[in-house]
Amino acid sequence: SHRVRVDTDLAWLLGYFLGDGSLGRARTSTTNTYGSTYRYERLRLRFHDETTEVLDRVRAIVARVFGEQAAIQKDGRGSRGRTLTYTGRRAAGFFAALSAPGTKVYTLHMPRFIWEAGREIALAFLAGLVDSDGTARDGRATYCTAALEFANDVGVLASLHGLGGGCTRSASVAIATVIRRVVDADARVEFARHLTHPERRRRVLEYVPSAHERKFCMPLGTSLASEMFGAGHAPADWLRLPVGAGTLHLGRLHYEG
């Protein structure tokens, strides 16, 4: 058996695999010197991305940890994407122990060891998710998935480490907040140290909160909000509510966790 120690690089790779990796089965055959042909299946591990820097990091980690090599190839499906393919037993076997071969769109789950692995491992794992199916803009970093329970766990993990938290639904996908706008510069640097996508890393690091930006957000249930403010208001009407002889100014915000 091949045992590996999960360091921050491997934690990042695991997060990245859950977003932009795939594990399937490839049919192959071999013919011996007597002319007999044997057909069998083996696992095939793939990573997909349009950003070469990200795939370069994948290749370096797999080579160091599992001793397997692969070349970055064009996706071949008319896209600008690139792909890495591995069929060795060590790398594919590692991910098979964490995710069954086949589609994982709706079956993603949080690896149990991530909850207890410590802050650096957790941040690296979250960074891998953001590097795969994540976005970074306006001071926030999010991760998008069709697996609602997994998205909730991602939000909880980010909240436990003081970075983000919360999960919203949009159509058929869930969006977990990994980095909130109010996260300070030191925490941003700590998280961005694990990011590989150059543009997402830049956006996480360069954001400076406005002096007028909210510092706290209190979510209100629908019934309570209607009781306090009434129903049927246009968003702009919420900015000026009469209170006695004065006017209360406030904004209605979409809760981001």
Side-chain angles (χ1 to χ4, degrees), residues 138 180-182 207-216:
D138 300 328
R180 292 182 182 178
R181 292 189 180 97
V182 296
Y207 179 74
V208 178
S210 164
H212 301 289
E213 187 169 316
R214 70 193 188 282
K215 298 302 180 183
F216 301 96

Side-chain angles (χ1 to χ4, degrees), residues 65-184:
V65 176
F66 303 107
E68 298 177 14
Q69 304 291 334
I72 298 176
Q73 305 287 341
K74 290 185 178 180
D75 194 285
R77 295 177 292 184
S79 71
R80 295 181 299 172
R82 300 289 187 271
T83 183
L84 281 170
T85 302
Y86 297 91
T87 56
R89 289 182 296 177
R90 288 183 174 181
F94 173 81
F95 288 99
L98 299 168
S99 177
T103 180
K104 52 183 173 54
V105 174
Y106 301 103
T107 59
L108 293 176
H109 62 276
M110 183 71 70
R112 286 183 296 178
F113 72 86
I114 291 293
W115 296 112
E116 303 174 355
R119 180 174 176 82
E120 286 301 303
I121 294 295
L123 265 58
F125 174 79
L126 291 170
L129 294 175
V130 173
D131 272 328
S132 60
D133 283 336
T135 60
R137 64 166 61 94
D138 300 328
R140 297 175 65 222
T142 60
Y143 169 71
C144 180
T145 176
L148 178 59
E149 184 176 348
F150 180 61
N152 286 331
D153 284 344
V154 171
V156 170
L157 184 66
S159 178
L160 287 174
H161 292 282
L163 298 175
C167 177
T168 59
R169 295 292 299 271
S170 177
S172 60
V173 299
I175 303 171
T177 299
V178 178
I179 295 284
R180 292 182 182 178
R181 292 189 180 97
V182 296
V183 169
D184 62 32

Side-chain angles (χ1 to χ4, degrees), residues 236-248:
D237 293 338
W238 288 57
L239 297 176
R240 50 185 189 278
L241 294 174
V243 179
T247 301
L248 172 66

